[in-house]
Amino acid sequence: MKKSFLAAVIALAVAAPAYFAFAADDFAFKSQIEGRQAFMQLYRFNISILGGMARGDVEYDAAAASAAANNLLVASKMDNGAMWPMGSHTEAPGLADVTAAKETAWSSYPNIAEKGKDLTEALTTMAAVAGDGLEPLRSNMGAVGNGCKGCHKNYRLSRD
Amino acid sequence: MSVFYIGSIPNPIKRDELPEHRGDTQNGELMFWAGGCASCHAQVDADGDEQLLLSGGLEMLTPFGIFVVPNISPDTEFGIGAWTNLNFVNAMTRGLSPDNKHYYPAFPYTNYQHMTLEDLLDLKAFLDTLPSSSDDAADHQLAFHYSIRRGLGLWKRKYLKREMPALNDPSTPELERGRYLVRGPAHCGACHTPRDSFGGVIANKFLAGAESLEIEPGANMDSASRIPNITPHEDGISSWSESDIAYSLESGFNPDFDSFGGSMVHVQENMAQLPSEDRAAIAAYLKSIPAIPSDQN
C-alpha cells in the first residue's frame, strides 16, 4: 500500500513536467479546439485595437475603434456551439497540453451561456460608444474585460 | 525522538512584542485585498460583496491530500471572532493556532510573516467588521504521514525564514513597497516559485514559474496547471514593460490583450482594488528581481 502510494507520488512528479513539454500533432477534437482558439484570436485582435487606444499606445481613431467594437459584438453573437463538443476539455485524455478549457464549463452548463450574454451586453455598450471619443471607450474597457474573465475565471486554467 | 520533540516546539510571538496600535480599517481593507483573503476563504464563485463573507469550505486538492479552507469570518464559534490580536498575529506570522498547533503552509504564512505587525493589526480590525458565517468547515483529509501536525515544527525551522533578499542598488521607496507587497501580503511566490519535494519554496528560483501544487476547483487531479515565470527572463515577462504589468493587474488583460484565466483572475481582481501606486510598485519590483529561466522539464 505504502509502495503504491509512493509510486503514485513519483509518477505524478515525473508525469507533471511532461504535461506541457510537447504539443501533440494529432489529438481528439482537433478541428473544434483549433477552431475555438482561432476564434479567441479574433477577439484578441480586435480588443487589442481598443486596448491600444485605451492605454494611450495608439492614437484614438473613431472609425477604427467603432469597427473593432462592432466586430467584437458580432463575434459574441455567433453560435459557436459546434466548437465546444462534450469531452473536449483539458482533463480529457491527451488534451492536457492543447486546451485550457475546464470540464466545469460543460458540467455547470448553462452558467457559461449566461456569462456569454454578459459579454454581449458589455460589447453592445462598447459598440455604441467606441466611436464617440476616447473617454467612453476607456471607461467601458473594464466591463469588456469582465466579460472575458466571466468565463476565463472559472472555466479556464490559470496558465497564460 | 527528543530531537523531534524539541525541534518541533511552537515558537509564538509574546504579548509584550505586540506594538501599541489602534487598528486602521482603511489600511486593513487594503491589506485584505493585497493579501487575497477572499480568494480562498470566500465561496469560489463569490462576486462583489459576497467576497466579504469568509465562510471557508473550499477544498484544495493537492498531492498531499485535500486541504479544506477554514471559516475566518467573525463568528465566535466557527470563525475567528473570539481571537485576540495576539492569536491573529501568531497565525499570520508563525503559522500557529490559538492553542499553539501548527497550521499547514497551504495557508501562506511563510509570506504573511513579512507583513508589519501594524499592517496585521489593521487587517484584523478590518476582518472584525465583516459579516459572520456559522458554516463549520470540514477537517483536512491528508495522507497519514502529512497528518502529524507536530512535524510541521521541523518544516518551519527550515522554511519559515524572515529575511528578505536585498534590493538592487540603488533602492527606492517604490521598490521597497513593491518588495513588501510581492514578498509579503500578495504572496506571489506561493504559486509562482517552484517548491521542493517537502513543499518548501526554492529560494533561488524566486518567481521563476512552477507546476501548480493545487488542482483548481472543479478540475481533476490530472490537470495541474503550469504557473508562469514572472521574472524579467525571456522565459518570463522580459517583454512586458512596467506599464504592461501594472495595466494587467488593473484590467486583467495581458499585453496581447488575452485575459487572465483561472485563479490569476482572483488575484488580478484583488490587485485592481489597490491604489495605482501600489500596482506600479509591484511592477517596478518585478522588473528589478533576478531574471531566472524556467525549469526545462
Side-chain angles (χ1 to χ4, degrees):
Chain A
M1 183 62 198
K2 207 168 182 183
K3 262 191 176 164
S4 66
F5 174 78
L6 189 64
V9 170
I10 291 168
L12 185 72
V14 172
Y19 183 79
F20 286 94
F22 66 96
D25 290 335
D26 198 24
F27 47 87
F29 305 111
K30 188 170 195 276
S31 67
Q32 294 95 330
I33 289 173
E34 288 180 347
R36 70 201 191 202
Q37 288 172 347
F39 181 65
M40 293 298 164
Q41 178 65 32
L42 179 72
Y43 268 128
R44 205 153 60 225
F45 179 83
N46 285 288
I47 290 173
S48 72
I49 292 172
L50 300 177
M53 293 181 200
R55 283 189 61 183
D57 296 340
V58 179
E59 199 172 333
Y60 176 72
D61 176 329
S66 219
N70 273 304
N71 289 345
L72 289 164
L73 177 59
V74 170
S76 79
K77 290 180 174 174
M78 283 172 65
D79 180 348
N80 283 326
M83 290 178 177
W84 301 91
M86 291 277 282
S88 62
H89 51 79
T90 186
E91 296 96 330
L95 297 188
D97 52 353
V98 292
T99 178
K102 288 161 66 172
E103 193 275 335
T104 47
W106 286 265
S107 60
S108 66
Y109 195 85
N111 292 1
I112 196 166
E114 293 300 319
K115 301 289 184 192
K117 283 183 197 159
D118 294 344
L119 175 62
T120 301
E121 198 176 311
L123 290 170
T124 301
T125 306
M126 181 60 102
V129 304
D132 294 347
L134 184 56
E135 211 30 60
L137 184 158
R138 267 200 185 129
S139 59
N140 279 288
M141 276 303 284
V144 172
N146 287 341
C148 303
K149 290 183 287 179
C151 290
H152 291 167
K153 186 176 186 174
N154 292 328
Y155 306 124
R156 193 177 81 171
L157 294 177
S158 301
R159 70 190 198 218
D160 289 306
Chain B
M1 201 58 202
S2 61
V3 172
F4 177 83
Y5 180 79
I6 293 166
S8 62
I9 287 177
N11 175 28
I13 289 178
K14 309 286 186 302
R15 185 174 305 277
D16 59 9
E17 294 175 60
L18 272 193
E20 281 295 322
H21 180 76
R22 191 185 172 85
D24 169 358
T25 54
Q26 199 176 347
N27 183 52
E29 180 173 7
L30 193 158
M31 287 299 136
F32 172 81
W33 294 117
C37 314
S39 301
C40 287
H41 291 277
Q43 295 302 299
V44 70
D45 51 357
D47 231 342
D49 281 353
E50 294 165 354
Q51 296 178 84
L52 303 179
L53 185 64
L54 306 177
S55 51
L58 172 72
E59 294 189 349
M60 299 170 83
L61 244 60
T62 76
F64 306 104
I66 300 173
F67 292 101
V68 183
V69 177
N71 178 339
I72 60 161
S73 78
D75 187 274
T76 52
E77 187 175 354
F78 298 103
I80 62 169
W83 284 22
T84 63
N85 283 342
L86 188 64
N87 292 154
F88 183 72
V89 165
N90 269 314
M92 295 288 283
T93 64
R94 301 293 167 91
L96 290 173
S97 69
D99 58 355
N100 242 6
K101 293 212 167 64
H102 295 300
Y103 285 126
Y104 289 95
F107 165 38
Y109 53 81
T110 53
N111 300 94
Y112 294 150
Q113 65 167 330
H114 296 302
M115 294 174 70
T116 65
L117 294 178
E118 287 78 6
D119 278 348
L120 288 167
L121 294 174
D122 292 347
L123 174 57
K124 168 75 162 61
F126 177 71
L127 293 177
D128 286 344
T129 70
L130 300 181
S132 287
S133 160
S134 56
D135 288 356
D136 189 8
D139 292 333
H140 303 320
Q141 301 160 43
L142 304 177
F144 172 72
H145 49 290
Y146 298 123
S147 67
I148 305 166
R149 281 182 187 263
R150 189 63 189 251
L152 287 164
L154 298 176
W155 189 92
K156 286 179 178 177
R157 282 189 172 261
K158 181 163 166 58
Y159 297 110
L160 195 61
K161 304 265 201 262
R162 287 214 71 188
E163 308 88 61
M164 284 240 245
L167 286 164
N168 290 349
D169 196 41
S171 167
T172 64
E174 184 182 51
L175 283 173
E176 281 174 21
R177 177 69 174 171
R179 177 180 62 171
Y180 178 70
L181 291 167
V182 167
R183 299 256 181 188
H187 63 281
C188 307
C191 291
H192 287 277
T193 304
R195 292 175 186 268
D196 62 22
S197 51
F198 298 106
V201 294
I202 303 171
N204 63 4
K205 293 188 178 172
F206 181 59
L207 302 184
E211 295 295 330
S212 175
L213 270 188
E214 186 200 349
I215 312 302
E216 293 191 33
N220 66 31
M221 279 303 277
D222 297 327
S223 63
S225 58
R226 174 91 201 160
I227 308 291
N229 181 330
I230 54 169
T231 73
H233 189 272
E234 60 182 16
D235 291 347
I237 54 173
S238 60
S239 64
W240 295 36
S241 66
E242 284 184 32
S243 156
D244 287 339
I245 298 169
Y247 184 74
S248 72
L249 293 175
E250 177 190 352
S251 69
F253 285 121
N254 70 23
D256 296 330
F257 287 92
D258 188 0
S259 88
F260 287 140
S263 44
M264 190 58 204
V265 176
H266 290 273
V267 176
Q268 179 269 315
E269 290 176 347
N270 295 332
M271 295 296 132
Q273 304 278 349
L274 302 184
S276 57
E277 301 79 39
D278 279 346
R279 287 189 295 273
I282 290 170
Y285 178 64
L286 290 180
K287 293 299 279 187
S288 80
I289 62 175
I292 302 170
S294 304
D295 280 339
Q296 302 301 320
N297 49 24

